[in-house]
Amino acid sequence: MAVPVIETRGLSYRYEKEKVLEEINLTVPKGAFLGIVGPNGSGKSTLLKLILGLLDPQEGEICLFGKPIGSFSAWDKIGYVSQKANSFNSGFPATVEEVVLSGLTKKIGLFRFMRGSDREKVQKALESVGMAEFSRKNIGELSGGQQQRVFIARALVSDPELLILDEPTVGVDAKRVDVFYDMLETLNKEQGITLLLVTHDIGTISETVSHVACLNKYLHFHGEAGEFDELAEKGLSEIYGHGIHLLDHHHHEEAGR
Ligand code: ADP
C-alpha cells in the first residue's frame, strides 16, 4: 500500500490538565477525501494544529508523507484554508488575482511583478474552483462562498498534494453548499488532490467524502463513508457512544423543551 499522506499513532494532547485528544490513530490514504466531523469543542482544531505543525505532539506520533513530523520539511505539499478566510469586507483593496497570487509569494517574493507563467498558474487555480471570470474583481465584492473558493485557489496555486480545509462551508449560502462540495469532489477525483475537511456539519458531508472520522476527544469512528452511513442510520449514539449529543440534536432538544 502507498505511504499514507497523514498518519497519527497514539496521539494525545492536553492544554492544561484536561486531555482534549486521546489516543488518536488516524490514517489519510493518498487520494482520499476525508471528512473529520465532531461537535464544537471536540478537538478538531487542536488536531489540525498538530498536523500543521503549529502545536508539538505531547504523546504519540504524526507522520506526513511517511516522515515523522519533526523531520518533515516539504510543507509546500500541504495547502491550508483556514476558517476565517472568507470574511473580507467590501473595502479590502485586493483583486481576486492578487489574492491567489499571494499563494505563490512564499516562493517568488512579495514585491515582484507577475510573470506570464504565474498568471497562467493563477488562472488555472481559479478555473479549478470555477472562479476564472472573477479574476479582476475586488475580493470584498464577492459573496462568502465565492471568497472561500478564491482562498481555495490561493492554496491550490502552489500545487499541493494535500489540501486541508477548516469548516469551509461557514459563510457559504445554504443553497450553494451542495455545489461547493461538488467542486471539492472534482478537485479530489480529477486532480487527485488528497482532501482533509473538518466540519461540525455531519448531515451532508457523508454524501461527498470517501472516508469519515468522528472525533470527540477520541476517534469514535474512522472508516469509509458507506460504513459510516450504515451506522448513522442506527443513530449517532452508535458512533459516539451514549450521552453525547451533536450540535443539531442539542438544538432540537432545546426547541422541544
Ligand atoms: P473544535 O475545533 O472541535 O471546536 P478545539 O480543538 O478548538 O475543538 O478545542 C478542544 C478543547 O480544547 C475545548 O474544550 C477547548 O475549550 C480547549 N482548548 C482549545 N484551545 C485551547 C487553548 N489554547 N487553551 C486551553 N484550552 C483550549
Side-chain angles (χ1 to χ4, degrees):
M1 202 178 94
V3 177
V5 171
I6 302 171
E7 189 161 35
T8 76
R9 286 284 154 256
L11 183 65
S12 299
Y13 196 83
R14 66 176 84 224
Y15 283 103
E16 279 140 30
K17 286 211 175 108
E18 203 198 340
K19 273 198 175 164
V20 299
L21 291 175
E22 183 104 45
E23 282 289 316
I24 305 295
N25 297 319
L26 180 79
T27 305
V28 184
K30 190 172 163 50
F33 184 168
L34 174 78
I36 298 184
V37 291
N40 284 337
S42 57
K44 301 184 298 294
S45 304
T46 305
L47 180 58
L48 276 195
K49 284 179 189 161
L50 285 160
I51 290 170
L52 290 164
L54 303 171
L55 292 173
D56 289 328
Q58 298 158 339
E59 278 174 51
E61 297 167 10
I62 304 172
C63 284
L64 300 174
F65 297 92
K67 277 212 151 193
I69 194 163
S71 57
F72 180 76
S73 57
W75 290 103
D76 57 345
K77 286 187 178 177
I78 303 177
Y80 171 60
V81 181
S82 78
Q83 213 178 99
K84 299 199 174 65
N86 59 354
S87 49
F88 281 85
N89 65 34
S90 56
F92 193 81
T95 64
V96 164
E97 193 175 62
E98 285 164 348
V99 170
V100 178
L101 181 71
S102 69
L104 280 176
T105 52
K106 281 173 273 173
K107 286 180 182 165
I108 65 177
L110 198 53
F111 299 103
R112 227 209 53 197
F113 290 107
M114 196 170 3
R115 280 195 306 239
S117 60
D118 297 337
R119 176 159 282 140
E120 264 170 41
K121 282 184 193 161
V122 167
Q123 209 54 29
K124 195 174 142 246
L126 282 170
E127 269 164 28
S128 60
V129 297
M131 289 297 290
E133 76 251 47
F134 295 86
S135 61
R136 300 298 165 94
K137 285 242 184 227
N138 257 20
I139 183 80
E141 293 171 50
L142 306 182
S143 71
Q146 289 171 328
Q147 289 190 15
Q148 188 67 288
R149 283 169 182 252
V150 171
F151 279 91
I152 292 172
R154 181 183 187 273
L156 290 176
V157 75
S158 53
D159 270 335
E161 291 178 36
L162 165 68
L163 185 61
I164 298 179
L165 303 149
D166 191 3
E167 299 277 4
T169 54
V170 170
V172 175
D173 183 339
K175 283 181 273 181
R176 306 215 134 250
V177 168
D178 282 354
V179 185
F180 184 83
Y181 281 142
D182 285 348
M183 185 261 311
L184 293 180
E185 209 172 352
T186 308
L187 284 179
N188 173 245
K189 293 225 169 88
E190 289 180 12
Q191 299 195 28
I193 301 171
T194 306
L195 291 183
L196 173 61
L197 184 156
V198 167
T199 183
H200 67 269
D201 172 18
I202 209 165
T204 48
I205 189 69
S206 70
E207 292 162 21
T208 311
V209 296
S210 64
H211 295 75
V212 178
C214 291
L215 185 68
N216 200 354
K217 183 167 153 185
Y218 300 91
L219 213 49
H220 291 271
F221 172 85
H222 180 21
E224 292 185 7
E227 218 183 311
F228 170 79
D229 282 340
E230 277 173 32
L231 275 176
E233 265 175 33
K234 294 184 198 156
L236 288 168
S237 59
E238 292 285 326
I239 295 168
Y240 279 103
H242 295 280
I244 291 165
H245 300 283
L246 287 173
L247 209 59
D248 292 345
H249 286 199
H250 199 64
H251 283 165
H252 195 65
E253 274 178 12
E254 286 197 341
R257 258 177 218 158

